[in-house]
Amino acid sequence: MKPNTISEPNINVALKEIQDFSKIAVSVDCVIFGYDGKNLNVLVLESDMDPYKSQWSLIGDLVSPDEDLDQAALRILRERVGFTDVYLEQVKSFGSLTRHPLGRVITVSYYSLISKVDHMPSAVLPLPAKWVNVYDIKKMAFDHKEILDAALDRLRKRVRYIPIGFNLLDPEFTLSQLQNLYESILNQTLDKRNFRKKITAMDFLTDCHKFQQEVAHRPAKLYKFDIEKYHALEASGFVFEL
Amino acid sequence: MKPNTISEPNINVALKEIQDFSKIAVSVDCVIFGYDGKNLNVLVLESDMDPYKSQWSLIGDLVSPDEDLDQAALRILRERVGFTDVYLEQVKSFGSLTRHPLGRVITVSYYSLISKVDHMPSAVLPLPAKWVNVYDIKKMAFDHKEILDAALDRLRKRVRYIPIGFNLLDPEFTLSQLQNLYESILNQTLDKRNFRKKITAMDFLTDCHKFQQEVAHRPAKLYKFDIEKYHALEASGFVFEL
DNA sequence: TTATATTTGTGTGAAATCAACACTAACGCA
DNA sequence: TGCGTTAGTGTTGATTTCACACAAATATAA
C-alpha cells in the first residue's frame, strides 16, 4: 500500500493525447419494463448476430458523438420502439473485453418503465420485438441477461423508495392492480390489508370517484397518482417507503 | 407512443460498422474515500488543465483497449496512488457533451474505500494529491463535484445494507470509532447505546481481548470484523442493516 | 496522592410500526 | 336466484425504534 509517484500527466490533470480514441465504442442498452396487468415484462429483440443468433437481446445502439448518454437512451426508445415521455434511469456500465463479438464495446445500461403494455401487443411492435415475462428469461445474447438482472435489481430497490411504479400502470388504476404490480416487481406476495393501509396512509392518491367497468365481480374504485401532492409531501420531509 | 419500424439493424441485432469508433474516449474516475478517525476524506489532485487550473479533480485515466472497466479502476488506484486490495464499486457513467475540454470523453465513476488514512498523510502521497474533508468540497474541476456527490450518495446507501464501512478502519477498532465513522458518512449523529445494541446484536464482531493503548481516558475494547462469520450469517438469511 | 477531564460501557420503558388474520359487499353470469 | 369472483375493511399481539443518565477506567496536572 505504498504510494508511487505520478509519472505522467493524466486526463484530469494535464494535456494528454486522445486522438487515437482508444478504439473503444460506446453503446447504450435499454431494459424496457412493461406491465400487462399480470406479469412484469421486458421488451426484447431477436438477435441476428453470431454467435447469439435467435437469442433475445436488449434494445440498444451506439452512442453518437453529438448526444449525451441520456439523449442516446431516449433516442433509442423513440427510434426503435416509438416510446416517448418514459421514466428512464441509468443503471451501470458493462465493459468486459469480450462482451461484444464485433469489437470492444462498452455499454451503458438504462431501464425504463412503460405503461399500457396491454395496449401495445407485440403485433403492433416492430416485428422481432416482443414482450417477455421477466421471470421466463433464463438466457440472453451477449451479457444482456446480466444487464437485465442488474436493471431488475435496481428497479426493485428504487420502487420501494420512490413512487415510480405508477409509470407502469394506466393513469387510473385500482389498489389491487397497484398491489399486483408491486408483487410482480418484488416477486413476493403482499398482505392486502397492510398494503392498502400503507398506500392510503401516504396521501398522494386521488379518488377518481369512478369504478372499474365491465368486470365480472365487484368493481373496484379507481385512483390516480397525484404527483404534485407527492412533491408537496416530499418537500415537507415525507419519504415514500413501501 | 406509436412504435416506429426498425429501419436499420442495430448493434445488438446484426452487423453494423463500428470502424469509426465514434470518436468517443472512455475514462474511469475514482472517488477514493478515506477516514482519518475524525472526518470522511476524499483524495483529490490539483488540475493543471484549463479552464480548471488549480481546482481539485478526481483521480482518473483513459480506459485502454485491453482492460475492462474494473481493471482500469484498479490500475488507476495502483499506478496513481499505490493502493491495492481496496474495496471498489462502480457508481455510474457521465457523458455530457461538454464535460471534458479535450473532447468527447465518457467517464465511468467508481468509489473505493481506504483504511489507515492517518498512516498515509499527504506528505507521503505523490505531491499534488491531497486528502480533503468531503464536506469542505464545494466545487471541483470538470463535473467531478457531481461525480463525488453521486459516489457519496451511493456510499451512504450501501453502508447501511452491507458492512463495507470496516474497509475504512484499521483491522482492530473500537465501537466508538465505528460509530464515528458511520456518523461521518451519514452526516448525522447516532445514539450510542442504540448503535452498540444493533451492532453487537449482529454477531460478526470478534472481541480482540485487547484495549486501546495510550489514551487519556478509559481505554476501549478492540474489535475485529469477522468476514467469515458475516458470510455464514448472510448465507443463513441474515441481512445487515443499520 | 488526589482531583480533574475525558471517554467507555451499560438497560429500561414508552411509542410506533409491523405482521397476521376472516368476513361481508358488489358485481356478472348461468 | 344462486354462484363465482374480487373488493374492501380493523384489531391485536409481537417487534422494533427511540429517548434517555450515570458509574467505571484511564492519563494528566495539581
Side-chain angles (χ1 to χ4, degrees):
Chain A
M1 294 282 273
K2 272 285 180 61
N4 291 338
T5 50
I6 289 190
S7 36
E8 334 142 40
N10 79 7
I11 194 169
N12 294 323
V13 180
L15 188 86
K16 168 152 183 175
E17 299 302 314
I18 52 173
Q19 321 298 35
D20 68 316
F21 292 109
S22 61
K23 300 193 171 55
I24 299 177
V26 180
S27 69
V28 161
D29 281 305
C30 295
V31 180
I32 305 173
F33 289 112
Y35 181 66
D36 60 9
K38 200 79 184 165
N39 294 306
L40 184 65
N41 292 292
V42 63
L43 193 59
V44 293
L45 296 172
E46 203 169 313
S47 172
D48 267 346
M49 194 183 301
D50 274 323
Y52 299 117
K53 243 179 200 147
S54 84
Q55 294 185 30
W56 297 124
S57 83
L58 298 170
I59 293 164
D61 202 356
L62 291 175
V63 175
S64 89
D66 59 354
E67 63 185 357
D68 70 29
L69 297 170
D70 289 5
Q71 282 166 6
L74 289 169
R75 172 179 61 78
I76 289 166
L77 288 169
R78 182 170 25 83
E79 284 183 5
R80 301 266 171 229
V81 280
F83 295 152
T84 55
D85 292 322
V86 297
Y87 181 85
L88 187 67
E89 184 186 330
Q90 193 194 114
V91 181
K92 61 172 288 193
S93 297
F94 294 81
S96 152
L97 292 175
T98 56
R99 59 172 299 281
H100 204 289
L102 296 186
R104 185 72 202 280
V105 184
I106 288 174
T107 198
V108 184
S109 63
Y110 280 78
Y111 77 88
S112 64
L113 305 177
I114 301 291
S115 71
K116 297 193 171 186
V117 169
D118 44 346
H119 298 154
M120 307 186 178
S122 47
V124 186
L125 288 168
L127 244 208
K130 201 182 160 188
W131 290 107
V132 180
N133 185 332
V134 159
Y135 300 107
D136 289 342
I137 298 182
K138 309 294 179 209
K139 194 182 167 189
M140 295 182 80
F142 313 97
D143 52 359
H144 287 190
K145 180 60 161 65
E146 199 187 337
I147 296 177
L148 169 60
D149 289 344
L152 185 53
D153 212 64
R154 181 69 138 270
L155 173 61
R156 279 184 185 143
K157 278 178 185 141
R158 279 286 182 280
V159 89
R160 308 193 63 145
Y161 296 105
I162 16 177
I164 53 173
F166 304 95
N167 291 291
L168 286 159
L169 295 173
D170 288 346
E172 304 190 341
F173 51 85
T174 71
L175 293 182
S176 294
Q177 288 167 352
L178 186 62
Q179 180 178 346
N180 284 333
L181 170 63
Y182 271 89
E183 291 181 334
S184 301
I185 293 175
L186 301 174
N187 203 23
Q188 67 178 21
T189 59
L190 301 170
D191 180 88
K192 179 158 60 155
R193 280 182 281 195
N194 293 335
F195 179 83
R196 293 163 101 95
K197 228 180 302 168
K198 248 188 186 165
I199 288 289
T200 53
M202 18 198 179
D203 221 29
F204 50 64
L205 289 194
T206 311
D207 188 337
C208 297
H209 300 292
K210 284 194 263 179
F211 289 85
Q212 276 183 308
Q213 299 294 323
E214 298 163 20
V215 284
H217 55 77
R218 176 175 176 177
K221 260 192 184 176
L222 292 173
Y223 291 88
K224 270 194 291 199
F225 173 58
D226 186 336
I227 195 162
E228 283 157 34
K229 241 189 214 171
Y230 169 68
H231 283 141
L233 285 169
E234 200 187 20
S236 57
F238 162 86
V239 284
F240 177 84
E241 187 178 344
L242 198 86
Chain B
M1 292 285 273
K2 271 287 178 64
N4 291 340
T5 50
I6 289 191
S7 37
E8 335 142 39
N10 79 8
I11 193 167
N12 294 323
V13 180
L15 188 85
K16 167 151 183 176
E17 299 302 316
I18 54 173
Q19 321 298 37
D20 67 318
F21 290 110
S22 56
K23 300 192 171 54
I24 299 177
V26 181
S27 69
V28 161
D29 282 304
C30 295
V31 179
I32 306 173
F33 290 113
Y35 181 66
D36 60 8
K38 200 80 184 162
N39 294 306
L40 184 64
N41 292 292
V42 62
L43 193 59
V44 293
L45 295 173
E46 203 170 312
S47 172
D48 267 348
M49 193 182 301
D50 274 324
Y52 299 116
K53 242 177 203 151
S54 85
Q55 293 185 32
W56 297 124
S57 82
L58 297 170
I59 292 164
D61 203 358
L62 290 174
V63 175
S64 89
D66 59 353
E67 64 185 357
D68 70 28
L69 296 171
D70 289 6
Q71 282 167 5
L74 290 168
R75 172 179 61 77
I76 289 165
L77 288 169
R78 181 170 27 81
E79 285 184 1
R80 301 265 170 229
V81 280
F83 296 152
T84 56
D85 292 323
V86 297
Y87 180 85
L88 188 67
E89 184 186 332
Q90 194 194 115
V91 182
K92 61 172 287 192
S93 297
F94 294 81
S96 152
L97 292 175
T98 56
R99 59 171 299 281
H100 203 290
L102 296 185
R104 184 73 201 279
V105 184
I106 288 173
T107 198
V108 185
S109 63
Y110 281 78
Y111 76 89
S112 64
L113 304 178
I114 302 291
S115 71
K116 298 191 172 185
V117 170
D118 43 347
H119 298 156
M120 306 183 178
S122 48
V124 186
L125 288 169
L127 244 209
K130 201 183 159 187
W131 290 107
V132 180
N133 185 333
V134 159
Y135 300 107
D136 289 343
I137 299 182
K138 309 294 180 207
K139 193 181 168 188
M140 295 183 80
F142 314 98
D143 52 0
H144 288 190
K145 180 60 163 63
E146 198 188 339
I147 296 178
L148 169 61
D149 289 343
L152 184 53
D153 210 66
R154 181 70 136 268
L155 172 61
R156 280 185 185 142
K157 278 179 186 143
R158 279 286 182 278
V159 88
R160 308 193 63 144
Y161 297 105
I162 17 177
I164 52 174
F166 303 97
N167 291 292
L168 286 160
L169 294 174
D170 288 347
E172 304 189 340
F173 52 87
T174 71
L175 293 182
S176 295
Q177 287 167 352
L178 186 63
Q179 180 178 344
N180 284 333
L181 170 63
Y182 272 89
E183 291 180 334
S184 300
I185 294 175
L186 300 174
N187 202 22
Q188 66 177 25
T189 60
L190 302 169
D191 179 90
K192 178 156 64 153
R193 279 181 282 197
N194 293 333
F195 180 84
R196 293 162 103 96
K197 228 179 303 168
K198 247 186 187 166
I199 288 288
T200 52
M202 18 199 180
D203 222 27
F204 50 64
L205 288 194
T206 312
D207 188 336
C208 297
H209 300 291
K210 284 193 266 181
F211 288 85
Q212 275 183 309
Q213 299 294 322
E214 299 163 20
V215 283
H217 54 76
R218 175 173 177 177
K221 260 194 184 176
L222 293 172
Y223 291 88
K224 272 194 290 199
F225 172 58
D226 187 336
I227 195 162
E228 283 156 33
K229 238 188 214 173
Y230 169 69
H231 283 140
L233 284 170
E234 201 188 18
S236 57
F238 162 86
V239 284
F240 176 84
E241 186 179 345
L242 196 87

